[in-house]
Amino acid sequence: MKKILLLSDTHSHIDDTILKYVAQADEVWHAGDIGDLAVTDSIKKLKPLRCVYGNIDDATARMEFPLHNRFKCEGVEVWITHIGGYPGKYNPNIKSEIELNPPKLFICGHSHILKVIFDKKFNLLHMNPGAAGKSGFHQVRTMLRFVIEGDKIKDLEIIEIEKRV
């Protein structure tokens, strides 16, 4: 069993509230637009991190993290990328790979809009945790946490960090 904290679009922001949730997880997954690598360095000091770079990330982040991260967690095939779209509107650059080899869990960021959608066509769960950072148009900073046990994804929670003014 693994307790996962999923975040995205930190845009160089990390704070004690985010780190409190990091400390409660077994692993942290970041779906891109890290900004300053001090964000990922802070997370890695506390917990194992799986991460991808996003469109705002510089060459240093792109050297440290991949564009796509496909891996198995327990019995769940996971694919994290920053700009992936969502069911019915997948990014054209990845749609063919989803059609040929769909993961069980497809994660992306970029939109700053929290979404959890089951894609019946490809039998996969899509997650976008919204944005944990302070930059962007989103009104509420959000993250997701959930448990992977064997081949099951369960106990999904939305974490609302704070409303932005």
Side-chain angles (χ1 to χ4, degrees):
M1 180 179 86
K2 295 246 185 202
K3 293 181 272 182
I4 308 299
L5 177 68
L6 174 61
L7 62 142
S8 185
D9 296 276
T10 47
H11 291 263
S12 301
H13 180 78
I14 190 87
D15 59 32
D16 289 342
T17 302
I18 294 171
L19 292 173
K20 174 184 85 171
Y21 287 102
V22 166
Q24 296 170 8
D26 294 323
E27 287 186 9
V28 178
W29 300 350
H30 193 303
D33 276 3
I34 303 155
D36 191 324
L37 288 184
V39 170
T40 50
D41 291 345
S42 296
I43 293 168
K44 287 191 289 187
K45 285 178 185 171
L46 297 173
K47 297 293 173 164
L49 173 69
R50 296 181 189 263
C51 188
V52 296
Y53 69 79
N55 57 295
I56 69 143
D57 292 317
D58 65 13
T60 307
R62 291 168 190 239
M63 288 178 60
E64 183 166 347
F65 301 109
L67 175 61
H68 302 284
N69 194 346
R70 281 195 84 146
F71 58 93
K72 198 163 204 163
C73 179
E74 299 262 321
V76 174
E77 181 75 28
V78 180
W79 182 358
I80 304 175
T81 193
H82 184 61
I83 303 175
Y86 54 91
K89 298 219 180 218
Y90 291 114
N91 181 319
N93 296 328
I94 62 158
K95 187 175 182 196
S96 61
E97 180 65 22
I98 286 177
E99 291 169 346
L100 291 171
N101 186 19
K104 183 166 185 164
L105 178 57
F106 180 67
I107 296 169
C108 60
H110 186 62
S111 70
H112 292 221
I113 299 169
L114 187 146
K115 287 185 184 182
V116 178
I117 305 169
F118 185 74
D119 185 335
K120 292 178 188 171
K121 182 176 180 181
F122 297 113
N123 195 35
L124 65 83
L125 183 62
H126 162 77
M127 290 185 188
N128 183 323
K134 293 189 173 188
S135 297
F137 65 88
H138 56 284
Q139 297 301 304
V140 180
R141 296 172 51 220
T142 57
M143 302 183 293
L144 292 171
R145 70 176 168 184
F146 54 94
V147 170
I148 294 182
E149 187 169 10
D151 64 350
K152 304 278 189 271
I153 302 163
K154 61 184 198 175
D155 301 333
L156 177 64
E157 296 176 75
I158 294 170
I159 299 167
E160 291 186 346
I161 302 170
E162 68 181 359
K163 289 196 184 248
R164 295 181 53 221
V165 288

